[in-house]
Amino acid sequence: MKQVGALFAAVVLIGWLVWNLWNLFRIVTGLRDRSWRRRLWWTRVCSVALFAGLVTWIWGVFRGGLDVRKTCQFVHHEYYDRAYRDAHAAEFQKFFPLHNKCNAHFDLVPAWVNPSITVFAVIAMAAVAVLLKFGIAHLTRFSRKEHQS
């Protein structure tokens, strides 16, 4: 059953990737033809931002590999401090911000990951805010037409 769930998630993510590659093209062309004045353009921006944020988060989560000790020692040639990791275990389990430290001075999660996730989240929220504005404007126009008839 786990394989079916993993396969379904992979198919959904691949479909979302293809959709967002098309969205990137449409976002850029939409800047030239003023499509940014339409709801679909902002929906595309929101989708791309959410996808990029998710991919960045996944990248950060899996930077430690399956064996953090071996990754620290043999891949990055950093001292693996077991006592430090045990003392800060809760920090490494958080959803955000991501950290996976070998010791007090070296983090396996690249420095660009957390700021990127934040930027993508802000872009997605801005797109949702614009979509809400479009929705409110539509409801206002609809309600005025209803009262006039």
Side-chain angles (χ1 to χ4, degrees):
M1 195 62 155
K2 284 184 181 180
Q3 291 87 2
V4 173
L7 180 63
F8 179 74
V11 168
V12 168
L13 287 175
I14 290 169
W16 196 17
L17 169 65
V18 170
W19 165 250
N20 282 308
L21 290 174
W22 172 249
N23 283 342
L24 279 174
F25 172 74
R26 294 298 299 153
I27 288 168
V28 172
T29 58
L31 288 172
R32 283 186 262 141
D33 67 8
R34 296 182 179 261
S35 290
W36 52 269
R37 294 181 178 181
R38 297 188 194 120
R39 287 176 289 224
L40 183 57
W41 192 86
W42 288 99
T43 304
R44 293 177 193 276
V45 169
C46 186
S47 178
V48 169
L50 289 173
F51 186 79
L54 177 66
V55 168
T56 304
W57 182 82
I58 290 171
W59 180 267
V61 165
F62 290 109
R63 291 308 298 161
L66 296 176
D67 189 344
V68 175
R69 182 186 61 81
K70 288 182 181 177
T71 303
C72 291
Q73 292 176 338
F74 302 121
V75 175
H76 297 284
H77 307 290
E78 287 289 332
Y79 170 69
Y80 179 77
D81 187 351
R82 179 83 177 154
Y84 178 83
R85 286 192 57 87
D86 289 344
H88 296 88
E91 180 180 348
F92 306 136
Q93 302 297 323
K94 290 193 313 187
F95 180 74
F96 184 80
L98 297 175
H99 292 291
N100 196 357
K101 294 186 175 187
C102 296
N103 53 50
H105 305 291
F106 187 79
D107 197 348
L108 292 171
V109 177
W112 59 268
V113 168
N114 289 319
S116 297
I117 293 170
T118 304
V119 167
F120 292 133
V122 167
I123 291 170
M125 286 189 291
V128 167
V130 172
L131 287 168
L132 286 172
K133 179 183 173 270
F134 276 121
I136 291 169
H138 176 74
L139 288 175
T140 305
R141 280 192 305 268
F142 181 73
S143 130
R144 282 186 199 149
K145 286 181 183 178
E146 199 173 87
H147 287 294
Q148 289 175 354
S149 349

